[in-house]
């Protein structure tokens, strides 16, 4: 809004760059422009202030589709006052010279005008579509259609307005109808989720089966290797036993051969010793055959005496003495 400073008998107005000020005096345009600053007399001046910045008007439009269903569209209309002089003539943008405020509500008038026009174009656009088409076709096509209709509307241009665009936020139906329309999509999404779940489960089962098969293959491979190991260990054990048996046989043969050689050697030594002893005995006996009997008896007694135990005392009986004397006498007579 413009700033008005009061002085005795006069006023000073200073506007902003986004405000178009129109001054009339005696029914004629005295000043008209943006960002003006001037002095004026409040008793003779008529002021109008029109904003020239871009503005937006949110509204809710109700419409009925081709299948007689009520829908609600949230629309935002962007506009500006293209011709401020024409706007000041068609709408009441007059300003109180004392306070600098609008004497009426011109923006409400603009809002009602654009709101009714936009709602009418929304109704026209949705009247030929079914409920499903209106809800699912998207807000973009509807917004472009409403924008084109507002731009081409003669009442907007005749008021000095310019519509920059219309955006449709959403097109909503009754809650029960929306739930009914959402049911197929939800069922489809649920079916897709179930399919994904089943696929994940199937994949998990397949992976578990692959893991089980891999574990079984590993166990079979380990069992096969263990069997090979047992067989190899048995073969090695048999080979060690055969080697040990062969070594034992060789050692036994060696011991037997050594014993045989020892026995043969001992027998040969015994035989030789016997022959030597026999030869010596024969020689001794041959030598003794030429020795007198008395000498032999004396030698025998001497030999016997060397092998007799120690004799403490000897008892000579008459019979023994008689026999000895008789034998001695006999030897002397011979």
């Amino acid at each position: 809004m413009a700033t008005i400073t009061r002085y005795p008998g006069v006023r000073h107005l200073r506007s902003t760059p986004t405000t178009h000020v129109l001054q009339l005096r005696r029914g004629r345009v005295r000043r008209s422009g943006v960002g003006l600053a001037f002095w004026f007399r409040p008793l003779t001046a008529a002021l109008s202030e029109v904003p020239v910045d871009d503005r937006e008007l949110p509204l809710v439009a109700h419409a009925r589709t081709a299948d007689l269903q009520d829908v609600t569209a949230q629309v935002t209309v962007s506009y500006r006052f293209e011709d401020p002089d024409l706007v000041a003539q068609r709408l009441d943008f007059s300003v109180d010279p004392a306070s600098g405020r609008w004497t009426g509500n011109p923006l409400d008038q603009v809002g009602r005008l654009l709101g009714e026009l936009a709602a009418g174009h929304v109704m026209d656009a949705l009247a030929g579509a079914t409920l499903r088409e209106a809800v699912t076709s998207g807000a973009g096509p509807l917004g472009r259609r409403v924008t084109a209709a507002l731009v081409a509307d003669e009442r907007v241009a005749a008021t000095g307005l310019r519509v920059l665009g219309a955006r449709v936020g959403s097109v909503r139906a009754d809650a029960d109808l929306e739930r009914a329309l959402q049911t197929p999509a939800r069922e489809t999404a649920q079916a897709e989720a179930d399919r994904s779940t089943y696929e994940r489960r199937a994949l998990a089962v397949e992976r578990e089966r692959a893991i089980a098969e891999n574990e079984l293959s590993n166990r079979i491979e380990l069992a096969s290797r263990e069997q090979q190991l047992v067989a190899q260990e048995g073969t090695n054990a048999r080979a060690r036993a055969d080697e040990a048996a062969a070594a034992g046989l060789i050692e036994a043969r060696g011991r037997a051969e050594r014993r045989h050689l020892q026995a043969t050697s001992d027998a040969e030594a015994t035989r030789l010793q016997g022959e030597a002893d026999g030869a010596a005995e024969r020689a001794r006996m041959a030598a003794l055959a030429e020795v007198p009997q008395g000498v032999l008896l004396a030698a025998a007694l001497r030999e016997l005496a060397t092998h007799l135990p120690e004799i403490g005392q000897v008892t000579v009986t008459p019979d023994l003495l008689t026999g000895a004397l008789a034998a001695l006498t006999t030897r002397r007579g011979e």
Side-chain angles (χ1 to χ4, degrees):
M1 299 297 292
T3 302
I4 297 178
T5 306
R6 302 175 61 181
Y7 294 96
V10 293
R11 300 286 189 273
H12 184 270
L13 182 143
R14 185 177 69 253
S15 64
T16 62
T18 58
T19 303
H20 184 96
V21 177
L22 181 66
Q23 180 188 7
L24 298 178
R25 189 171 63 181
R26 297 177 182 177
R28 296 181 179 179
V29 178
R30 176 66 176 172
R31 292 184 179 88
S32 178
V34 177
L36 297 180
F38 56 89
W39 297 88
F40 65 93
R41 296 176 62 87
L43 298 179
T44 60
L47 302 176
S48 295
E49 185 180 19
V50 180
V52 294
D53 55 344
D54 296 344
R55 292 181 174 268
E56 291 188 347
L57 175 66
L59 58 98
V60 177
H62 298 277
R64 177 167 291 188
T65 60
D67 49 359
L68 303 180
Q69 300 297 326
D70 293 332
V71 294
T72 302
Q74 295 181 352
V75 185
T76 301
V77 179
S78 300
Y79 67 96
R80 71 168 58 171
F81 296 101
E82 185 73 12
D83 190 348
D85 294 333
L86 180 59
V87 171
Q89 294 176 10
R90 299 297 300 272
L91 301 175
D92 185 12
F93 277 90
S94 60
V95 176
D96 183 3
S99 62
R101 298 183 179 277
W102 285 319
T103 58
N105 296 314
L107 296 181
D108 293 342
Q109 297 176 4
V110 175
R112 285 193 296 271
L113 173 62
L114 291 179
E116 292 176 358
L117 294 176
H121 294 308
V122 170
M123 293 176 62
D124 295 339
L126 296 178
T130 62
L131 176 62
R132 184 178 296 276
E133 293 173 350
V135 175
T136 61
S137 61
L142 180 59
R144 290 190 293 269
R145 185 170 178 179
V146 173
T147 298
L150 289 175
V151 171
D153 197 307
E154 295 180 357
R155 287 171 292 181
V156 175
T159 310
L161 297 174
R162 178 185 176 186
V163 174
L164 303 177
R167 301 188 305 276
V168 178
S170 63
V171 179
R172 305 292 299 273
D174 183 74
D176 295 335
L177 290 175
E178 282 197 353
R179 283 194 293 270
L181 293 175
Q182 292 171 359
T183 299
R186 290 179 178 177
E187 292 295 335
T188 302
Q190 185 63 40
E192 184 67 20
D194 293 340
R195 187 179 64 82
S196 300
T197 302
Y198 296 150
E199 289 180 355
R200 287 197 303 272
R201 290 179 180 176
L203 181 60
V205 171
E206 182 66 21
R207 289 180 177 177
E208 290 178 358
R209 185 184 64 80
I211 293 173
E213 290 181 355
N214 190 18
E215 291 179 352
L216 182 60
S217 300
N218 291 335
R219 292 176 61 184
I220 293 174
E221 181 66 21
L222 291 176
S224 177
R225 292 185 179 182
E226 185 177 2
Q227 182 180 4
Q228 294 176 2
L229 178 61
V230 171
Q232 186 64 38
E233 289 180 349
T235 302
N236 295 339
R238 287 193 298 271
R240 285 194 294 269
D242 293 340
E243 292 295 333
L249 180 60
I250 294 173
E251 184 178 0
R253 288 178 179 176
R255 287 197 300 269
E257 290 179 358
R258 286 196 297 274
R259 287 196 298 270
H260 178 70
L261 292 176
Q262 184 66 35
T264 302
S265 177
D266 293 342
E268 183 66 18
T270 302
R271 185 182 64 78
L272 293 176
Q273 184 66 35
E275 291 179 353
D277 292 343
E281 185 66 19
R282 286 192 300 272
R284 189 172 63 83
M285 294 302 295
L288 290 177
E290 298 177 358
V291 177
Q293 184 177 6
V295 177
L296 292 174
L297 180 61
L301 290 175
R302 188 183 62 184
E303 183 70 20
L304 179 64
T306 58
H307 293 85
L308 290 177
E310 183 180 356
I311 300 174
Q313 59 183 359
V314 178
T315 301
V316 180
T317 61
D319 295 335
L320 178 61
L321 184 59
T322 300
L325 291 177
L328 182 60
T329 302
T330 299
R331 289 181 177 179
R332 286 181 179 183
E334 295 176 355

